[in-house]
Amino acid sequence: MLALLLAAPASAASFWPVTPQTPQARSITFLFWIVIAVSGVILFGVLGALVLFIIRYRARPGAAEPRPIYGNMRLELWWTAIPFVLLVGVYAFMVGEVRSETTIASNALDITVIGHQWWWEYRYPDNVVAANELHVPVGRQVRLTLQSADVVHTFWVPDLAGKEQTIPGQNNIWTFTAEKAGDYDGACSEYCGTQHGWMRLKVIADQPADFDRWLAAQRQPLASLPSSDSDAVKLFNDNACGGCHTVNGMSNGRVAPDLTHIGSRTTIGAGVLANTPENMTRWMANPQEFKPGSLMPNFHFTQEQARQMAALLEDLK
Ligand code: CUA
């Protein structure tokens, strides 16, 4: 276990849960270390005393039976008072930290995060909808409203913030402020079904100008809709893809990821495959091969049909 913990920073730098990159994550990490330190002092104090007493007061040949003791008021008061003060202290500290993390800045960017089996939906202001990759601006607080479409999931991006659950019928609020541009890996951290392990996400922190450009591009309807008599669009319609997926201007399904700008994302299937034309073709040929149990069925496309569908999707930028 210790070896695993020590190996973690080298093999998965951004996934080591205590490399905080935001004020909120730093404050959580600080609280974590405080609790670890207090617990460590108690653990080693108790174990040390135990070892000392075992050696010092061990039974010696010929020693008399020790005199029985029935309670010691002074000691009992001490070992009640010390844990009480420690716990109240840690609690007060924790309440302060929670308050500082949930203070919402007036210019905070509101994003609704909806957990689905097994992908993430993001709803930005002005009806911008994205999936799995959460773009945020550097230097501006993000206020996430966490919801669930089905079961309980937990949104977790270790470097940016702690964990918060998405619970059906409830809004949980969570905030973070990215300070450095870059990609931050995250995952669902609560078992939510067979593909829980492939409910990955990525937060992409952009410089404000880049973020504005991204948001404007997402807000745009598609520059040109694919021709409605193309083979791929016929496949899309004949297989009722639009019943689940939105492609702005073509369909408005709400149960599966919005595909309007799928071509601009880096992964397919919430992280299961890199988004390349070859992988998209393999995914279209049989999604169940890569994500068994997911709601995306195998349509038994021929190789040619899978390739046509992939080409259609990769063009949606
Ligand atoms: Cu969603 Cu685990």
Side-chain angles (χ1 to χ4, degrees):
M1 184 64 197
L2 189 65
L4 195 75
L5 281 172
L6 292 175
S11 59
S14 70
F15 230 76
W16 173 233
V18 282
T19 50
Q21 306 287 327
T22 65
Q24 293 85 356
R26 268 195 298 277
S27 123
I28 293 168
T29 305
F30 184 57
L31 180 61
F32 169 77
W33 285 122
I34 292 278
V35 173
I36 288 285
V38 170
S39 313
V41 168
I42 295 170
L43 177 71
F44 290 108
V46 170
L47 287 182
L50 186 68
V51 170
L52 187 74
F53 280 43
I54 286 172
I55 295 168
R56 186 150 176 201
Y57 299 107
R58 67 187 183 279
R60 293 190 170 83
E65 192 76 1
R67 188 167 54 85
I69 298 170
Y70 301 99
N72 181 323
M73 190 54 121
R74 212 163 67 186
L75 268 180
E76 279 167 27
L77 281 175
W78 274 114
W79 70 52
T80 306
I82 293 174
F84 180 79
V85 169
L86 277 174
L87 287 177
V88 168
V90 168
Y91 177 73
F93 197 66
M94 191 187 80
V95 168
E97 294 295 310
V98 168
R99 191 168 294 167
S100 77
E101 275 141 42
T102 48
T103 304
I104 313 290
S106 59
N107 71 339
L109 174 68
D110 269 306
I111 307 173
T112 300
V113 174
I114 307 170
H116 293 257
Q117 282 174 318
W118 294 278
W119 57 282
W120 300 93
E121 176 178 356
Y122 309 121
R123 304 202 145 250
Y124 291 77
D126 299 330
N127 284 322
V128 168
V129 185
N132 301 324
E133 289 168 18
L134 180 69
H135 281 257
V136 299
V138 165
R140 181 172 166 198
Q141 192 187 40
V142 175
R143 176 188 190 266
L144 303 177
T145 302
L146 297 159
Q147 303 174 345
S148 170
D150 35 51
V151 300
V152 177
H153 305 273
T154 293
F155 182 87
W156 188 36
V157 187
D159 287 354
L160 297 184
K163 302 176 178 188
E164 185 57 280
Q165 288 181 313
T166 73
I167 299 172
Q170 191 170 317
N171 289 329
N172 281 347
I173 305 299
W174 203 240
T175 72
F176 67 85
T177 314
E179 289 178 327
K180 264 187 285 181
D183 291 2
Y184 301 90
D185 289 328
C188 178
S189 81
E190 184 149 354
Y191 185 72
C192 55
T194 50
Q195 291 297 324
H196 157 72
W198 282 116
M199 195 169 162
R200 299 285 179 86
L201 69 116
K202 196 192 281 275
V203 173
I204 300 167
D206 298 318
Q207 293 299 343
D210 295 334
F211 175 77
D212 290 343
R213 215 169 301 129
W214 175 84
L215 195 64
Q218 299 287 306
R219 211 179 275 135
Q220 291 291 321
L222 287 166
S224 58
L225 277 177
S227 149
S228 61
D229 54 4
S230 75
D231 289 341
V233 171
K234 282 194 191 116
L235 284 171
F236 187 90
N237 291 330
D238 292 349
N239 290 285
C241 304
C244 295
H245 294 280
T246 291
V247 175
N248 216 339
M250 278 172 66
S251 64
N252 50 19
R254 277 288 303 273
V255 290
D258 188 304
L259 300 179
T260 310
H261 300 281
I262 173 82
S264 67
R265 290 183 204 137
T266 62
T267 70
I268 304 167
V272 81
L273 287 170
N275 188 2
T276 64
E278 298 73 45
N279 283 342
M280 187 63 92
T281 305
R282 293 162 70 206
W283 173 260
M284 290 315 304
N286 184 8
Q288 293 295 318
E289 180 188 341
F290 303 100
K291 216 165 168 180
S294 79
L295 289 178
M296 174 78 181
N298 181 357
F299 287 99
H300 300 281
F301 289 137
T302 64
Q303 262 313 301
E304 179 55 18
Q305 289 172 326
R307 204 194 49 71
Q308 287 170 340
M309 285 301 291
L312 168 81
L313 294 171
E314 294 294 349
D315 274 346
L316 303 176
K317 294 226 160 120

